[in-house]
Amino acid sequence: MRRLWIGIALLVVSAVGAGAQPGLVSYDAASKVFRLDGGNTSYVFGINSRGELQQIYWGGRLAATDKFPQPKPMREWASFDDSYTNTPQEYAGWGAGLYNEPALKVTFADGSRDLVLHDTGYADMTHGFDVLLKDIDRAVYVTLHYTMDPGSGILARSATIENREAQPITVEQAAAAAWTLPAGHYTLNYLTGRWAGEWTLNQEPVMPGARVIESRRGSTGHQANPWFAMQSGAADEEHGEVWFGALGWSGSWRITVEQDQLDAVRVTGGFNPFDFGYVLHSGERLETPVFYGGYSADGLGGASRRLHRFELEHILPRTPAKSGQAAALTPRVRPVIYNSWEATGFNVSEDGQMALAEKAAALGVDRFVMDDGWFGQRKDDHAGLGDWYVNPQKFPHGLKPLIDKVHALGMDFGLWVEPEMVNPDSDLYRKHPDWVLNFPGRPRTEQRNQLVLNLARPDVRAYVLGFLDKLLNENQIAFLKWDYNRNWSEPGWDQVPASEQKRVYVEYTRDLYSILAELRRRHPNVEIESCSGGGGRVDLGILRYVDEVWPSDNTDPFDRLTQQDGFTYAYTPQIMMAWVTDSPHRLNNRTNSLAYAMLSSMQGSLGIGANITAWTPEQTALAKRLIAAYHQVQSTIVQGDLYRLISPRNGSEFSATETVSPDKKQAVFFIFEHSTQEGRGFPLLKLQGLDPAAEYALTSIEGKARADTPAVASGDWWMNHGLQMDDGFRGDLQAAAFRLDKK
Ligand code: GLA
């Protein structure tokens, strides 16, 4: 990195793949304007005549020759709307006359709470800038980090706050970034849910005032996910302008979407200021999470395709390349797993798991995962968490015989753990009752009979890292399902002075990340899933350390269609694990065919979670055939460009999705009929994203197209003429899937 804390002009041209416009960043010293271009997007800000950092432009890519004058602060509109609050600052301190959402709010040791940030210099970074701000008087420094992905145009923003005062300061609110949108009318899209009901897409007009989406729970949460998309005007799935963003933080977070009194629209997000208070001693720094933001001119579909590609190429970890091999651009596709949870619950045993493993291997499964129940005195959810030794009654010879058996069957082995939790009925808790989050002398609220270990404590961090490392050293484990089955309560941390206890909101999550990073360093081939009673911890922060997530404990294949639809607005299908489980489903008591469940799960990374020892030979044969078909097209499904052709939301009778491989050589599409009404057949399906002139051959994976459908036709034909399903495709819970291969 070249440090340049002075204003000289520079131009950094970065390489991107053939065909795409290169990304570039530039600073114009005469007009004091910073500009970042990448993919389809330009982002421009500058230093205004008052010395503030002011946003100028965010949207479709502009010509390299387009120039901007130095930005001017907005004028005072009325004595109630001063210039300071009207000016779209990149990162406003709470001070002077600011009334809208601040990016940063601090209290100084003398009680002053006035913070006015002005530019003092910048450094050029690879694909971006670090811009240094300082309070007009006091030695509080804020470095704003900007990095533009040249391929997707997605901008990563974050801030480092540094106290160079002699006395401590308390940071009461710290955003990663504030995004100013162009003047206009917007529809806000955001994701909410609950346990077994995650990933509901909400769409509502942005109105004057503030709309807050957040978690106060210590972790990301099922209830809202740190992602937003703002559609302008009549934008829809494939058309119109969309500005979107996702926050990379797995602790308490907040995103505020605000339309102010002059109709300016801003999105500010970072640490949740609720119960926040981070003391920075002299010389200390606080790093915010990263807030990623992007722009699409082709609707919500274009937004999610960009985000998926960005996650695949820049966020997700990958197992190291073998010596002599080039590092892969994207992570490897997920092994098809078998997981025993819905078949056995806590009742795991060596014999039972071996019997399931034999059946799983016969289906063509790649990875066998043993879920909860294998450790400590774990018979149900009342005991055992914290005691990570193998239960000697259930596994008298340790895990080795089972793991050896799984390997002999040609699969690798995965194991469930819940490292951050403890049951009061455990040896660990009896020995270390002070290790949990608690306020001394106050009751400790249990959820699922468990308490949260305070990972911010160095001894707890060392214990968790230590037992996981030992488990991985002593057993040939390829995969950990890392669970987290409750939210925080009584978040006390009495080992540190009272004034510093609220640092727990940051240090806990940082320690979680550092444990995951260290485990990956020591065991580079081990893969990890983030699970939190389903989809309670899915965000771009944890995704830097885990390979996949468990989107929901709800595995009903019909419910999953809507959940998977919602999930893919923010996250790539690569990480979206989807198990086929037993019918009737235990949550809804709904009955479905195995083919329907298989196809629903094949939209993401496929797994089997049913009691396969009870399957009929016909069911086994069907699953085996579909797993083999899935293996052939998996990388297109999970890493291709996704088109949500027909949404399953809002009680839709029908739904369909299509993914096209990045080289457009293959497309796979899924078709679901909920229940035929009034004899209506499935609507004409027009595909998208194909090479118009190329010839594509149609192959059924499951189900039949109308008899007169050509075996081979052009991309134009499939996209413009479209495909009609066979007349027999009607009834309740019907599913079909096809592939198109370029000739
Ligand atoms: C959570 C997970 C489930 C299962 C159970 C085990 O609910 O989401 O998949 O692992 O815990 O207790």
Side-chain angles (χ1 to χ4, degrees), residues 195 339 341 346 371-373 378 381 416 418 448 481 483-485 529 531-535 550 552-553 579 586:
W195 175 80
N339 179 297
W341 173 246
F346 297 95
D371 211 280
D372 198 348
R378 188 81 164 161
D381 61 17
W416 182 95
E418 194 176 359
R448 208 194 191 202
K481 173 176 171 179
D483 214 335
Y484 180 83
N485 274 312
E529 175 178 284
C531 173
S532 171
W550 183 228
S552 181
D553 276 351
W579 305 347
R586 58 185 181 154

